[in-house]
Amino acid sequence: MNSSPEQQPSIADLIARLAPQDGDHPTAIAGLSLHRRSAPTRAVRLDYKPSLAFVAQGGKSVMLGNEHFSYGSDEYLLTSIGLPVLTRVTQASAEHPFLCFLLNLDMLQINELIGEMHMPLVAKPSACGIALGQVSAPLHDASVRLLRLLDQPQAISTLAPLIRKEIAYHLLTGPHGDRLRHMAVSKSQTHQIGRAMEWIKENFALQLRIDELAQRVNMSMSSLHHHFKAVTAMTPVQYQKLLRLEGARRLMLIDMFDAGAAGHRVGYRSASQFSREYARQYGLAPMRDIAQARLQLQSASLEAGAV
């Protein structure tokens, strides 16, 4: 006999069981991961992909440029375009850990679904690539069924694509559906901004010429600047600077570059400008920040070894 709805485990119970330890847990369903934390975390830089992040318990904060997003239980964060963010868990404890699932969105599937639904692309001003929403009953139900498939591995290949499509349907018909449509449809301005971001990401060490970038994505310079900032909360130059500084930090931390060599590798011609902009971004001069980061990594490694 099937249990009644009142006896069914909550989505928080499901995630807690499927992810019994703190950490980030990939699953057998492609693009689906589970996340658990038993204490608030430090802010970390991440590159968000188009995705749905559903918080079942606890709270989280995300910074995109100067924009701040806080969300908690039974709320979701929808990312419609790849974006660099600063994120941290704000509400978590051993008794009530932060529990969340993250589902990467298949933009090709969403584009096909838009065609099936005959949804028109309504002209509208570009909106921020991140939005918060309240989880509706249909979206909650589909999410629970997707998680339950993890207990039925033989059914994943057949049923997971159908449930993912159902989730995409609820997002497209929800309050932020326009954001997804504008990203998925190639003629939209949001899609053009996505192409501009990809070019900058692949070529961040090169000199950025806005006129050439605008021509590359078939936009005017003023339109590119306006829509880029609307979607990412940054200008193209600010986005490039962020990528350069993050690239330099990785070179120093992982590949043991000194500050001068790292700054030059990512496109800086002036060592003093690199140090100044790095300190403004990370709060410390380059090598002092890296020394502190290495100490933190060593401390975390020792703590992990002691468990």
Side-chain angles (χ1 to χ4, degrees):
M1 179 183 294
N2 292 331
S3 58
S4 67
E6 290 77 10
Q7 296 172 312
Q8 297 285 358
S10 69
I11 196 164
D13 292 333
L14 283 170
I15 296 174
R17 178 174 61 79
L18 293 165
Q21 304 295 328
D22 277 10
D24 305 320
H25 304 270
T27 73
I29 298 174
L32 176 67
S33 58
L34 308 178
H35 304 266
R36 177 175 182 146
R37 299 290 187 275
S38 294
T41 65
R42 296 191 302 268
V44 294
R45 287 276 177 194
L46 294 175
D47 285 325
Y48 272 13
K49 298 177 180 179
S51 58
L52 169 71
F54 180 168
V55 171
Q57 184 170 279
K60 195 169 188 180
S61 171
V62 173
M63 286 285 295
L64 172 64
N66 294 322
E67 299 287 331
H68 178 253
F69 304 87
S70 291
Y71 63 118
S73 298
D74 294 324
E75 292 182 306
Y76 68 81
L77 183 136
L78 176 65
T79 306
S80 59
I81 187 172
L83 293 168
V85 299
L86 190 65
T87 179
R88 67 186 183 94
V89 172
T90 56
Q91 297 176 32
S93 67
E95 296 78 15
H96 296 93
F98 170 81
L99 300 169
C100 171
F101 81 74
L102 180 69
L103 180 65
N104 291 334
L105 300 177
D106 183 340
M107 300 309 287
L108 179 59
Q109 180 191 54
I110 289 174
N111 196 17
E112 293 172 349
L113 184 56
I114 290 170
E116 292 176 15
M117 296 167 65
H118 304 291
M119 301 182 79
L121 183 66
V122 179
K124 57 175 289 185
S126 295
C128 181
I130 285 179
L132 298 179
Q134 193 74 32
V135 176
S136 65
L139 180 58
H140 183 279
D141 178 62
S143 300
V144 167
R145 284 186 280 109
L146 186 67
L147 289 175
R148 285 185 180 147
L149 281 183
L150 295 173
D151 291 325
Q152 308 170 57
Q154 74 283 357
I156 287 176
S157 61
T158 301
L159 298 181
L162 300 177
I163 300 176
R164 289 181 66 124
K165 186 174 183 179
E166 182 182 348
I167 289 173
Y169 172 87
H170 293 310
L171 292 174
L172 283 169
T173 56
H176 304 300
D178 284 349
R179 298 170 192 261
L180 281 182
R181 290 200 293 277
H182 275 259
M183 184 57 214
V185 178
S186 61
K187 63 183 179 181
S188 74
Q189 291 166 327
T190 305
H191 185 90
Q192 290 171 300
I193 295 304
R195 289 170 52 206
M197 292 176 68
E198 281 300 312
W199 189 91
I200 297 173
K201 191 171 185 177
E202 293 172 3
N203 301 277
F204 64 79
L206 301 180
Q207 181 182 4
L208 179 60
R209 295 183 60 89
I210 300 299
D211 56 340
E212 293 179 359
L213 180 62
Q215 185 176 15
R216 188 178 296 274
V217 298
N218 196 30
M219 300 179 78
S220 69
M221 290 175 58
S222 61
S223 181
L224 171 65
H225 189 278
H226 172 76
H227 293 288
F228 197 103
K229 190 165 187 179
V231 171
T232 69
M234 291 174 276
T235 66
V237 171
Q238 288 170 333
Y239 179 61
Q240 182 198 42
K241 183 187 297 183
L242 178 62
L243 295 177
R244 283 182 167 184
L245 293 173
E246 290 180 345
R249 194 170 194 261
R250 285 193 297 271
L251 289 172
M252 291 184 288
L253 187 60
I254 299 171
D255 298 322
M256 310 300 286
F257 276 54
D258 62 38
H264 187 267
R265 174 66 69 89
V266 300
Y268 280 92
R269 298 294 173 259
S270 166
S272 60
Q273 182 186 3
F274 168 65
S275 294
R276 186 168 57 251
E277 292 185 355
Y278 188 100
R280 188 178 300 127
Q281 178 68 31
Y282 295 107
L284 292 171
M287 297 317 297
R288 286 185 62 192
D289 172 62
I290 295 304
Q292 187 177 92
R294 286 178 182 148
L295 285 174
Q296 291 172 348
L297 288 174
Q298 291 171 3
S299 175
S301 178
L302 289 173
E303 290 175 3
V307 173

